[in-house]
Amino acid sequence: MRILPLLISFVSFASACLVISGGTNQAQFTSSVNIQATDDGRQTCSGKIGSTTGNIGCVGGYSMWVDDLEVAGRIRVKYGTPHGSWDFTIDKDCEQWACGGTTAPIWCAACTFGRRQFGC
């Protein structure tokens, strides 16, 4: 009888799905990150930070910290739940253009990113 509850718990965990998605914008003097986390079909975190590093608002028991790794073309996300925490590095897809500068160009960028984790 004890094997059945353990099997049900394993199946529930194995079918979990985490989707992290969003975008970044970089201009001459500003930078921002928009990001969302959907955990098993429920939006758990969503927000915007007006810098390259910070905490995102989440529902009770969940947390998200973001670091936009500008040089590496990736974004780092630390995601916490009541059941554990994970650290992801997600590649970004970016478009860049010269947006200022007289002697040397200043580059601006708009990027998108997304990652599916845990059996999606």
Side-chain angles (χ1 to χ4, degrees), residues 54-76:
N55 291 306
I56 301 296
C58 299
V59 298
Y62 292 80
S63 64
M64 181 180 280
W65 175 84
V66 176
D67 185 7
D68 185 14
L69 306 171
E70 297 173 30
V71 176
R74 295 179 294 213
I75 191 163
R76 181 176 179 196

Side-chain angles (χ1 to χ4, degrees), residues 12-21 36-41 77 79 81 85-91 114-120:
S12 296
F13 178 76
S15 64
C17 176
L18 173 63
V19 178
I20 298 174
S21 62
Q36 300 82 183
T38 304
D39 199 335
D40 283 336
V77 176
Y79 179 70
T81 75
S85 59
W86 294 268
D87 194 333
F88 303 106
T89 302
I90 306 170
D91 290 331
R115 179 171 181 157
R116 294 179 177 272
Q117 192 71 31
F118 306 125
C120 296

Side-chain angles (χ1 to χ4, degrees), residues 24 73 90-95 110-114:
T24 64
I90 306 170
D91 290 331
K92 297 186 296 185
D93 182 24
C94 299
E95 290 186 33
C111 307
T112 58
F113 57 88

Side-chain angles (χ1 to χ4, degrees), residues 36-50:
Q36 300 82 183
T38 304
D39 199 335
D40 283 336
R42 176 181 175 217
Q43 185 170 308
T44 54
C45 301
S46 179
K48 176 180 180 178
I49 54 173

